[in-house]
Amino acid sequence: MPSLDVVASSLASGFFLGGIYALTALGLSLVLGVMRLVNLAHGEFLILGAYAGLFLLKWTGVDPLAGLLLVGLAVGLLAYPIHRFLLTPLRGKGPEAPMMTMFGVSIIMQNLFILLFSADTRSIERDYATASLSVGPVTIAWIYVIGFAVSVIAIGLVHLLVSRTAFGRDLRASAVDPFAAAIVGVDVQRVHAATFALGAACAGIGGTLIGIAFSFTPSSGATYLLTNFAVVVLGGMGNIMGTLLGGVTLGIMQSLGGIVLGDGYRDLVGMVLFLIVLAIRPTGLLAGKS
Amino acid sequence: MNKKINNGLPRRLAKAALFGAVASFALVAGWTSSANAADEIVIGASLPLSGPLAGFGSFQQWGYKRAIDAVNKAGGIAIDGKKWPVRLIIRDDKTDPNASASNIETLISRDNVTALLGSCTPSLVNAGALVAERHKKPMVTGCDPLEAFKSVRKWTYVWDLFFDEPDLAGADFKMIAEYGIETNKKVAILHDNGPDGQIVGGQIWPAMAKAGGMEVVENASFPIDNTQFTSIIAEAKSKNAEIVLVDSITPQAVSIRKQMASAGFSPKILVIEKGAEPVQFAEALGKLSDGILVGGYWDPSFPYPGAAQLAADFEKETGQTSSQHIADSNSAAEILLDAIAAAGSTDPEKINAAIAKTDKTYVAGLIKFDENHTSKLPMAIDQWQSGKAIVVWPKDRATGKLLFPMPN
């Protein structure tokens, strides 16, 4: 059995890393909850954010953390036409066509990344990316703590946007019953387009954090998509605060798996948890509280 | 329902549509393009030009192309008294063994290649090599550690020039002993569960550490595409391992190094095999790559014909720092082209027989295949220093001094 400091450090890392997972999964959850769209290109929006953070730093010298809003805005703006020109024409055609369209978009984006940025392994090099924070026996990466804080702020802002604004009211109405919402004057397509862009923006911001903390390649998106699906199921589709809980739960459970079985089994633990929650509580851990 | 369809679409129109569809498919599938131009030798290769191993594929592509361009510049290969040009077809396997196998199948059945060149890493090379073997097409490859290559089967048509895993794994221990490096002799081994990772990290390193009087305080394996290493790094740190040996591909190697730093863990010796080879590793990590050791089998300074020129040409043409993979790939292609020339034929059996007779010093070193179809390249150890791979062992080939302990 590992020593106490190893266990404590791993669990703390899992907790804070879970916050980053939550932010990366938030967009997927929003799009799934509001549009009923399984966005298979979500991982690529995340990687787009990582590249945006990398090149923002390289070309302008702006620290990726300081430029997070800019990254989110850029990724959101790039995502908007995808909805307008590829998804809008498919409305009313069932869930399969938009899902397969996004599958195609994910492949196109991966290939564009290769063409534009090469297939090299990248990482955003910052001193704080590798700094450690020690509190007693617990040692964790500063970037996990920073990422957690960014995630909580971003998730809080999205929560306020959805719960306190006119757009949020339209969004909630569109999520519950798009036909009824349209009858009472909500422009459902506009809401869907904005939700799609917002989801991509969140993924982009999360992607920059991933790029700082880890490494990425044009094809890394698929790995994070799988993790994000687990977070969405744990938190409940479209449940914003549930996403945070889902992310933290997954992070801690993966760490437990890492401690007991080794880091190689983190994803296995995540997927088992995903299947268990899907089987016994398919609406998520915070079901009924969204 | 059937009646409606028949009435809606007259039979002749349906036949025409069917013919059109088949013809279109034939065009798209390249039936018309599969026939090679007359008097042309076609060489095929499947390479990881995208995906996690793309860092290797780009160097191999350059090495293969350079050899073939050189032959074409000299007028081609003489067959039946006439010079035939050589054409290289490269397909991207996206770092996927299934794609590697299917690419080789396509290169043989559709592109009608004369012979083949290999991909990179055992999983990709062996997947394609098995297809080549089944079709009895000669293939020369590098980038496939010899034990992993030999473990697949007794090869007849596939030939491999690369380093041997026991040599690779033993080089670090030899260097530690020769240089009298002082550590607490506690070793942590972190390796992926790919074929070579299992051999090097799972078997050879633990055995060699034990033989060298060292204590293996941790031996952890992980899936090739794992992203999180927090627990195993914390474990190595808590066990006070001063020697850390890692075997992983580049994205994971970068993540491991970053996570080690952010966990406040700085061993005295850090070896990262495989993933720390490409220059992209050092580019992604910046100064964090300083002091990391990786097994090498080639450097432009080595006394092989054209070694310095090869690296200089690569850097001039691409503007990138060269990698040792340009040497084994270039040599693999030259061996195959020499064999076709020696055979004076495009007959696979004759080419295969000519490859078996190879005994020549190429840019990667002396190549002479043994009964297992392997030719071993001698090992060296490189260390990343300020973004450059410096040869630090063996002494007689060193191009710089060993940085010890690894900078914190």
Side-chain angles (χ1 to χ4, degrees), chain B residues 79-128:
Chain B
I79 290 177
D80 296 333
K82 193 186 158 199
K83 290 263 189 174
W84 289 26
V86 183
R87 184 159 63 96
L88 175 66
I89 301 176
I90 291 177
R91 293 182 176 274
D92 180 10
D93 58 34
K94 301 179 173 64
T95 315
D96 175 2
N98 294 326
S100 179
S102 109
N103 280 351
I104 298 296
E105 193 79 53
T106 307
L107 285 163
I108 294 170
S109 59
R110 192 177 124 193
D111 299 324
N112 200 20
V113 295
T114 299
L116 293 148
L117 295 164
S119 186
C120 194
T121 71
S123 55
L124 297 178
V125 174
N126 296 343

Side-chain angles (χ1 to χ4, degrees), chain B residues 127-150:
Chain B
L130 285 167
V131 179
E133 186 83 359
R134 196 169 63 234
H135 285 275
K136 299 184 176 177
K137 285 281 181 189
M139 172 189 271
V140 182
T141 187
C143 209
D144 189 359
L146 304 184
E147 292 297 321
F149 173 76
K150 285 190 283 190

